[in-house]
Amino acid sequence: MAAQHDDVVIVGGGLAGIVTALEALRAGRRVALVDRDTPERLGGLALWAFGGMALVGTPLQARMKIPDTPETALRDWVRFGELDADDTLALQWARHYVEHSRTQVYDWLIGESVKFMPAVNWVERGRFGDGNSVPRYHIVWGTSRELTRRMIAALRQADTGGRLTVLHRHRALALDLQQGRTSGVLAVNEESGTEVLLQAPVVVLAMGGINGSHEQTRANWPKDRPMPATLLNGAHPFADGKMHHWVAEALGARITRAGEMWNYAAGFPHPFPHFEGHGLSTIPCKSALWLNHRGERIGPEPLVTGFDTHWLCQRVATQEKPWTWHLLNWRIAAKEFAISGAEHNQRIRDMQFPAFLKETLLGNHRLVKQMAAESPHFLVDDTLAGLAAKMNQLTGTQDVRPEALQATADAFDANFANQAKLHNDDQIRRILHARQWGPDKLRTCAPAPLQKPGAGPYIAIQMQLITRKSLGGLQTDLHSRVLDGTGQPIDGLYCVGEAAGFGGGGASGKRSLEGTFLPGCILTARAAARHMATGK
């Protein structure tokens, strides 16, 4: 068996692994990076992601007169995640995040020539104002793809003297142990079957989360929460939890909060899937009516995005059938419809600011037309009766009666019969609240009847619950060292990013403030690299 000697071996080439490798190289270490994917896919899920980051106390917030502080952010984090005093590691990482996201993420990325869009968005406000009390969602200009590419370029630049080895298409099988201590990684080339032993006194686990495998997702699903019969996969298929379990069984490490996941309630199958079950996660239109399989509005509290994703997922999972419908018109779709990720945000991804501004102001008709042409789950018709027929044809049922769909639209539109003074609908109230914040106003329609003349044609989108991030993982301390069953660090073993539940085995608790994942990768990676270099 071939053997190679390095100072650090990193398992996983996502953002957390890349940042760890970058910082280790800059500290003078020899680094081996093991990644299962092909060279052009180095970067993992971050290469596909949208690039939103929850950051605290930034110059962008100050410019928009957003009064944010670490204390305010920590209060929001703990309340929304439902953490309590016994969640010691989660609380430590939450405090570390809110206190250092400005300097160690925002400022550091600016120093790496990463730029942010000029507006801060307000997401996850909470159903009752119990989420983000102020806007914190910063968007990377160029999406996360640009961020990832800049990190990879910096990685190559830091590789002086050939100190970096990247093993593409290699899967880590196990950790090499000598006298009970981590001493390297046994990996296999998945194309040739050749095994290689990568020996090093330090191993960093950066293999992503657990629920890229639906088998793991279903096994870990909380018993007290409904689980839909079918799920789409929005996670990375290589994030299957196998290395988590190997480390737990062989070294006594602990996997915590495995059942806590950051899923999304509104996904549909990718028209050109990259892997089995691949789904696209929409950013649901606030103005769309969210319907059950019969075309009836889900209530009594309507489902509206931007407030509590965790709650939306639970509501969708309780439905009689594993799909729901979004009912809207072309006017709404052109202004509000979006798909999360780099692939379908071309203007931001390719940094085309004039075109982005034009689509924001005049509507993204290009994306709506694209989905109408490419996806069988994106239905368009001039009449509600015709739309109902297409909905039934897609599902192979007669669930949606035309008169029921018409009644749903009529009941909502009745709110506008006597002008704004007599609105009495919680979805309208939430839309009006969202439009008070300038960036949200640009992407949210003023409330109007669904059947407003000239606003058609009508659109129905069949939606399913889609998996995304694991909120749990291997327990780690504030130096990203993996802890054993007694809470003591395992010598020479670190874990970063989603593999560590973005710190501590589940720093977010039950809910994320959204946008905490990319910064969580960076913060945990930099903590590991710092401790490797300085012991602090």
Side-chain angles (χ1 to χ4, degrees):
M1 181 190 305
Q4 178 178 317
H5 298 273
D6 294 280
D7 299 317
V8 183
V9 179
I10 300 169
V11 178
L15 180 63
I18 289 170
V19 172
T20 307
L22 172 61
E23 296 284 74
L25 286 170
R26 287 175 173 172
R29 301 291 195 273
R30 291 185 61 87
V31 177
L33 182 63
V34 182
D35 188 57
R36 286 187 68 182
D37 226 325
T38 54
E40 67 274 10
R41 289 182 178 266
L42 182 64
L45 201 58
L47 196 63
W48 311 344
F50 181 52
M53 297 189 180
L55 303 171
V56 180
T58 67
L60 278 180
Q61 286 180 305
R63 193 179 306 158
M64 299 184 74
K65 296 186 168 79
I66 300 169
D68 202 11
T69 65
E71 292 76 22
T72 302
L74 183 63
R75 180 195 66 209
D76 294 348
W77 185 303
V78 171
R79 180 181 58 211
F80 205 49
E82 299 183 36
L83 298 174
D84 57 41
D86 295 331
D87 293 311
T88 306
L89 293 171
L91 291 170
Q92 288 176 357
W93 274 105
R95 181 175 294 279
H96 180 78
Y97 184 110
V98 300
E99 290 179 350
H100 298 288
S101 68
R102 157 72 194 274
T103 56
Q104 292 194 29
V105 179
Y106 182 87
D107 291 348
W108 184 71
L109 289 177
I110 294 293
E112 300 288 339
S113 299
V114 174
K115 298 179 180 179
F116 291 88
M117 296 185 70
V120 183
N121 289 266
W122 198 353
V123 300
E124 293 303 299
R125 304 177 187 207
R127 289 163 60 211
F128 309 111
D130 53 345
N132 280 304
S133 57
V134 297
R136 298 191 173 101
Y137 195 75
H138 299 61
I139 299 171
V140 174
W141 183 231
T143 71
S144 184
R145 188 182 73 167
E146 175 68 10
L147 162 68
T148 306
R149 288 180 171 180
R150 286 195 176 272
M151 292 295 101
I152 293 172
L155 188 71
R156 303 299 185 192
Q157 187 176 12
D159 179 22
T160 56
R163 291 178 293 114
L164 172 66
T165 302
V166 181
L167 289 86
H168 300 289
R169 299 294 294 128
H170 279 68
R171 177 167 56 92
L173 297 174
L175 302 186
D176 186 50
L177 305 176
Q178 297 292 335
Q179 298 178 340
R181 187 188 190 284
T182 304
S183 59
V185 173
L186 176 64
V188 61
N189 185 319
E190 291 196 304
E191 293 178 339
S192 68
T194 304
E195 293 186 354
V196 58
L197 179 61
L198 303 165
Q199 295 183 321
V202 173
V203 173
V204 182
L205 302 175
M207 61 279 185
I210 301 170
N211 64 348
S213 158
H214 274 351
E215 181 182 355
Q216 282 291 302
T217 300
R218 293 186 177 281
N220 293 322
W221 200 278
K223 304 303 180 188
D224 61 342
R225 297 179 202 164
M227 179 171 57
T230 62
L231 295 163
L232 293 171
N233 192 354
H236 199 291
F238 292 159
D240 54 17
K242 290 181 180 178
M243 185 56 70
H244 289 76
H245 290 292
W246 191 96
V247 172
E249 292 167 8
L251 297 175
R254 292 187 291 187
I255 304 169
T256 51
R257 296 191 184 277
E260 302 299 347
M261 311 167 195
W262 194 248
N263 301 324
Y264 289 106
F268 60 91
H270 196 304
F272 309 104
H274 299 179
F275 49 85
E276 185 179 355
H278 186 192
L280 292 172
S281 177
T282 68
I283 301 171
C285 303
K286 284 184 172 64
S287 302
L289 301 185
W290 208 316
L291 315 180
N292 64 20
H293 71 283
R294 291 184 294 271
E296 303 160 341
R297 196 172 177 202
I298 298 172
E301 182 180 345
L303 276 58
V304 186
T305 189
F307 295 90
D308 189 337
T309 298
H310 179 78
W311 178 79
L312 283 179
C313 288
Q314 292 198 66
R315 289 296 307 278
V316 166
T318 63
Q319 298 305 305
E320 186 178 338
K321 292 192 177 180
W323 68 81
T324 57
W325 292 101
H326 286 193
L327 178 64
L328 59 158
N329 55 38
W330 197 278
R331 166 184 172 266
I332 294 170
K335 193 173 188 67
E336 299 186 16
F337 179 73
I339 298 172
S340 182
E343 185 178 3
H344 292 91
N345 285 278
Q346 177 185 346
R347 305 309 184 198
I348 300 175
R349 182 195 68 208
D350 297 338
M351 295 179 281
Q352 301 169 340
F353 192 76
F356 165 75
L357 192 60
K358 180 181 178 181
E359 288 185 347
T360 300
L361 296 175
L362 302 181
N364 193 348
H365 298 272
R366 174 186 53 82
L367 179 63
V368 180
K369 290 176 181 177
Q370 179 186 349
M371 287 300 103
E374 293 180 354
S375 174
H377 303 270
F378 195 104
L379 308 175
V380 183
D381 200 272
D382 289 329
T383 69
L384 288 172
L387 195 66
K390 290 180 179 179
M391 294 161 76
N392 288 330
Q393 183 180 18
L394 178 63
T395 60
T397 70
Q398 292 299 315
D399 288 338
V400 181
R401 293 183 296 112
E403 58 271 27
L405 194 64
Q406 184 67 56
T408 296
D410 289 345
F412 177 76
D413 288 356
N415 284 285
F416 302 93
N418 296 290
Q419 302 182 344
K421 292 181 292 186
L422 293 180
H423 288 168
N424 188 21
D425 185 278
D426 195 54
Q427 184 164 353
I428 295 174
R429 281 190 283 272
R430 289 184 182 274
I431 290 170
L432 292 172
H433 170 64
R435 282 173 53 85
Q436 292 175 3
W437 181 243
D440 279 340
K441 186 175 183 179
L442 283 172
R443 300 300 301 265
T444 307
C445 291
L450 184 71
Q451 299 169 87
K452 179 180 179 180
Y458 300 106
I459 296 172
I461 313 172
Q462 188 192 40
M463 298 292 196
Q464 298 180 56
L465 197 146
I466 180 171
T467 62
R468 191 62 172 171
K469 304 288 195 312
S470 307
L471 291 185
L474 291 168
Q475 282 197 326
T476 57
D477 65 11
L478 280 178
H479 303 305
S480 292
R481 295 180 295 184
V482 178
L483 304 178
D484 64 18
T486 67
Q488 296 302 306
I490 298 173
D491 196 19
L493 186 60
Y494 296 80
C495 186
V496 295
E498 192 176 354
F502 303 98
S508 290
K510 291 184 177 181
R511 290 177 179 82
S512 165
L513 290 176
E514 183 68 295
T516 62
F517 309 123
L518 294 172
C521 288
I522 294 170
L523 285 166
T524 54
R526 298 195 74 199
R530 185 167 53 249
H531 187 264
M532 282 185 262
T534 66
K536 298 178 182 178

